[in-house]
Each structure stands twice: as structure tokens, then as C-alpha cells.
Amino acid sequence: MAAPEIERPTAAEAPLDAAPLAADLPARLAASAPRVVVLGDAVLDQWLTGPSRRLSREAPVPVVEVDHTRGSPGAAANTAANLAALGARTELVSVLGDDADAAIVRELLTGHGVGIDGVVTDPTRPTAAKRRVLADDALVARFDTRSRLPLDAPAREALHAALRRVVDGADAVVVCDYDGGALDGAADLLGELLGAPGQRTCRLVVDAHDPARWAAARPDVVTPNAGEVARLLGRELGGPDRVAAAEAAGPELRERSGAGAVVVTLDRDGALLLPADRDAPAHRTFARPAPEANTCGAGDTFTAALVLALAAGTPAATAVELAQAAADVVVGRPGTSVCGTGELAERVAAAEGPLLDAASLAAIVDEQRVAGRRVVFTNGCFDVVHRGHVASLNQAKRLGDVLIVALNSDDSVARLKGPSRPVNSLADRAAVIGALSCVDHVTVFDADTPAELLDLLKPDVYAKGGDYTPEMLRESATVGAYGGRVVILDYLPDKSTSAIVERIRGG
């Protein structure tokens, strides 16, 4: 019988450091009600919709009979609205014109519970707006109104005065700089108001088209997308694996943005956290695929949930997982929308999902294989989930496209670990593991090894934690027999469920 190929991951598949989400986390964050100041470019997003029954005689374009107009707060205003919907006490500092669009934005923000005492009126510039025309739900045109000119001296002084008024006592400040011209010079002021990173009482998060503009303020976190990363680096993220390329560029991204941590958002590829601790592993989330038309404003929602969690003291990797879940809520809808606490909790709870039986899982694996996707399988008790567990699971997912986690049944855990285990029931263990964005399917096995399940599913990769060796794995022979490969994941020392349980019992 052929021995399976034993491989160890490359540096681009490094272990990941996080805590799993829990369904009650959104409610707990909302109850903490952190105070957040949003500084940035506010926009009116507007949709004009109606049927189209003919083409224009002036040009081959549809004539849309607009019968409905809907407006939403956009850009920084959307970030502020999402923060308020998630429970933060939110103040917006921005500039609007003296026009009808400004009145709509103010009304929308007030309706969402956003404080607008820091919103300055500048009669010399129009309120930024993006209007989309839809014919029978199909986008046929978009026209924008905006100014890229810097503020004149009176408006700039009014904006800076508003920032000084509201920033004191904030748990977090988030900058939403989309090249609207209103924030020139604000980086130096913000650095002066907040002080050096080690002296701050709040978090500074920057979401900017040009993050380098804010390097002087020494942000705690920046959240560039792929295009903004390219702008920072002076080059595109090369190669077929954008995540690995972003991870490799981590030192440059930190240096050029002046930030402690970097969260690279990669739309369909999820997000990558490069932590402030240079020795800590990166953490990746995995996004829910969605049509491009449904991603409007998802980045604002991601930033809002991230800032909320960080402002409340949530670990960075957990905050990124929560942000990904919030973005997944809004990409399921057309247009710019807001994610609330209840919807986010529902999304996190839904991610936990039911345990799949072996037959149902086999059918899913067959479908994935036909679609050309690589299936990764791992297993364990996962009784008291800790950093080492989550790091291994996230690393395992990066070995393929679909990650299956098989949990030992309660009886199986008791046989392996003793009659006092498991601490958590199968249902609870499945809920925690299934809530991780890197986990696609959860199943259970009652035997001492998953060999029978492996033989049924025949995954491409069988991954096991670094506290094992190939010789310790009886199921290695099964994997080798059908032509799969075994990957031994990296090991995080001093991360053991048994040790945690003993510490708890010892007081």
C-alpha cells in the first residue's frame, strides 16, 4: 500500500490567530455601546427605478419611466449609519453643501440615530451624490455629483473645530477618506488630538483611497482594498494568489501606511488581517460570493463592524470575522444597505449550521469535485476551542477551497479523553466550529478514527494539527490508498484543551 505524501505548509499558509465568533457577540457589543466618531466624505446614494418599454429616438438607450426614488446614506455616512445600527453611539464629522441633497442626507442620518452636530455646511460646494437609474432592476446609467477641491479656509476651520468638539471621550475614530477634498490637513490635526498610539485612549481606524495620506496620524488599523494596496505599494498584487501576495507585502504596507495593523479587503477573496504584533500569524476570512451589483456599500459595513468590535475591546481576529459576517449580510441585497444587530446575530448563528450526516456530506463533496474545487478534511474533539484550534482550521482552509471538519461524538471524546470529557456537548462544539468563516461543513463520527468517513468522502487533502506525526495517524493508510495527501499543520505550543481544563479545575 502506497504511503501518502506528507507535506508541510509554506510561509504563505501560516497558522492563524483568532477567537471564534459566538451568536451572542453582536448583542454584547451593542450593549457595550462604544462611542465612535466618523470623520469623512459623506455621500447621498440614490436609486431611480421604473419600467422601460421602449428605446429613445435620440439614441439607442432605454427610456426609463421613473416611478420610485430611494435614497441611502453613502460612503462615510453609510459607515456611520451601520455603526449606529450595530449599537455604537455615533457622531459624524463631515461637510455637506447647502442644497436639497444635504437635507436628505441629514434626515437619513438622523433617522438612523447618527449624531450630526459635527456636520458642517459649505454653501460653495455641492453635496456629493451618486444616482443610479434602473430599468426593471437593470442598471442603465449612473451620474455623480461631487467636488474634489480642497475646502476654503472658513469651511476647513469649521470642520476642524467640529472634530475637536466631538473627539474627546471617543472609544474609536474612523476616517473615511474617499478623495473628496474635505480632509486635507486633517491627518496632522488628528495625530495631535489623539497622540501617539501607545498614549491613546481610543482606536484610530483609517479607510482611505490613499492610506499614505494618514501615515502621520499613526493609525492603529488601516483597511485598504486591492486597489488601495496597489497605490500604497506602487505595484499590483502579483500572482494568482492575492492573499499570499498581500501577506508577503505586510512589512511594506505597515511602513507606508504608518499603521500598526493592516486589514486588506479582497472582495470575493475575503479579508486578510496582518496583526500589529509582527510575530503573530496573519488571519484570513472567507467571503460569501455575491454579484458585483450587490456589493455597493459592503466595504462601509465591513469597516463599521470592525470598528465597533475593536472599540469594545474585541480581539482583532474576532473583529475581522465579525466584519466579514456583517459584509455578507449586505451583499445579499441590492443597493446600499445597513446591517443591524439582529441581522448580524442571525448571520453568525446561521453560519453555525446543522451537523451534516455522512450521506448528505458525500453528495456535497461530489458536487464540489465536479465543480473542480479542492476538498480539505480535518477532524478532532474541539472541546474547549482555543487559539491553536482556530489557527489550524484557518490554515487548513487555505490548502483548498472547501473545508470539512469532522467532530468526535460525545461518546468518542469520552473514550479518548476520559469520563469527565467532553466539557461541551456535540451541539455546542459544532456551533462554535461552524461559526468560523473558514469552515464550510461540519459532521460527526463515532469511531476512534475518521478512517471510514475519509474512505467515503475521499478528500483531496487530509490535514492534522502539528501535535501529530504521520506515524501516529492510523488513517494515513486510508488516505494513501485512494491517492490523497496528508498535510501536517504548524503547531502552536502551550495551546492545549487538557491544559486549559486542568487550569480551570485547579482554580
Side-chain angles (χ1 to χ4, degrees):
M1 184 177 295
E5 179 185 1
I6 306 295
E7 297 186 8
R8 294 187 178 272
T10 64
E13 298 162 345
L16 306 171
D17 178 13
L21 288 180
D24 66 341
L25 179 58
R28 286 189 281 118
L29 291 174
S32 72
R35 184 168 175 269
V36 180
V37 173
V38 180
L39 169 67
D41 300 310
V43 173
L44 172 63
D45 276 335
Q46 204 166 56
W47 286 262
L48 294 79
T49 61
S52 177
R53 300 179 176 88
R54 60 190 175 90
L55 294 178
S56 171
R57 288 184 292 179
E58 300 153 294
V61 295
V63 175
V64 181
E65 301 170 17
V66 175
D67 57 18
H68 183 69
T69 301
R70 178 174 67 89
S72 297
N78 187 35
T79 301
N82 274 274
L83 275 160
L86 291 169
R89 293 171 291 144
T90 310
E91 293 280 340
L92 176 64
V93 178
S94 188
V95 178
L96 298 175
D98 186 12
D99 49 32
D101 287 348
I104 295 173
V105 173
R106 289 175 181 272
E107 183 179 0
L108 289 167
L109 289 168
T110 301
H112 281 292
V114 176
I116 58 173
D117 288 346
V119 177
V120 173
T121 298
D122 181 358
T124 69
R125 58 196 290 127
T127 297
K130 298 178 181 179
R131 292 181 170 84
R132 299 164 179 87
V133 180
L134 288 84
D136 301 313
D137 297 325
L139 181 65
V140 297
R142 174 180 137 177
F143 54 102
D144 295 358
T145 303
R146 66 179 304 182
S147 172
R148 294 182 182 272
L149 297 175
L151 296 178
D152 59 22
R156 184 173 60 254
E157 290 170 8
L159 182 73
H160 289 188
L163 182 60
R164 289 190 182 93
R165 281 198 313 271
V166 302
V167 78
D168 188 44
D171 296 298
V173 175
V174 54
V175 174
C176 303
D177 179 8
Y178 307 130
D179 291 342
L183 301 184
D184 291 354
D188 291 334
L189 173 62
L190 202 52
E192 172 191 325
L193 293 174
L194 299 183
Q199 304 168 347
R200 287 176 190 155
T201 58
C202 74
R203 298 289 193 105
L204 173 59
V205 179
V206 170
D207 180 21
H209 286 342
D210 184 6
R213 273 171 43 102
W214 296 89
R218 300 290 302 280
D220 296 287
V221 184
V222 292
T223 62
N225 59 28
E228 291 155 359
V229 165
R231 189 170 184 175
L232 263 179
L233 298 176
R235 65 180 187 276
E236 299 293 330
L237 286 174
D241 188 343
R242 297 192 298 169
V243 176
E247 187 173 355
E252 288 180 88
L253 293 174
R254 290 188 184 97
E255 179 183 357
R256 298 186 184 194
S257 66
V262 180
V263 178
V264 181
T265 58
L266 296 168
D267 47 78
R268 66 184 181 278
D269 292 326
L272 180 71
L273 165 66
L274 302 170
D277 179 358
R278 305 301 195 266
D279 296 325
H283 181 86
R284 180 187 174 183
T285 68
F286 296 83
R288 172 193 287 179
E292 187 68 25
N294 285 8
T295 61
C296 180
D300 303 327
T301 303
F302 182 99
T303 300
L306 177 71
V307 172
L308 172 80
L310 293 175
T314 306
T318 307
V320 174
E321 288 279 354
L322 190 78
Q324 184 64 66
D328 287 345
V329 169
V330 299
V331 297
R333 308 168 181 161
T336 303
S337 65
V338 169
C339 174
T341 298
E343 295 166 307
L344 182 54
E346 184 179 20
R347 168 63 187 156
V348 174
E352 297 169 0
L355 281 164
L356 287 170
D357 61 78
S360 300
L361 188 55
I364 291 172
V365 169
D366 287 342
E367 293 170 359
Q368 299 290 357
R369 190 166 285 120
V370 169
R373 299 187 181 97
R374 179 182 294 184
V375 177
V376 182
F377 179 104
T378 192
N379 67 280
C381 300
F382 296 100
D383 190 3
V384 178
V385 176
H386 53 69
R387 170 182 170 183
H389 287 143
V390 181
S392 293
L393 290 173
N394 212 306
Q395 186 184 12
K397 173 60 180 272
R398 297 175 72 176
L399 300 172
D401 305 301
V402 178
L403 176 60
I404 297 168
V405 178
L407 300 176
N408 292 74
S409 69
D410 289 347
D411 287 343
S412 177
V413 175
R415 290 196 303 272
L416 292 170
K417 304 291 184 179
S420 64
R421 301 279 297 276
V423 174
N424 292 301
S425 68
L426 174 63
D428 288 341
R429 290 183 286 128
V432 171
I433 293 300
L436 293 169
S437 68
C438 61
V439 176
D440 296 290
H441 305 294
V442 183
T443 190
V444 62
F445 65 101
D446 191 53
D448 291 341
T449 78
E452 184 176 345
L453 196 53
L454 285 164
D455 191 47
L456 172 68
L457 301 176
K458 295 180 173 56
D460 302 278
V461 179
Y462 177 46
K464 284 296 289 183
D467 49 347
Y468 289 88
T469 65
E471 294 74 24
M472 295 169 61
L473 301 173
R474 286 182 283 168
E475 51 270 39
S476 293
T478 302
V479 178
Y482 68 73
R485 65 186 180 105
V486 175
V487 175
I488 302 299
L489 303 171
D490 291 335
Y491 177 62
L492 287 181
D494 302 324
K495 302 299 175 185
S496 161
T497 296
S498 297
I500 293 171
V501 171
E502 288 305 313
R503 286 202 301 272
I504 293 170
R505 287 173 175 164

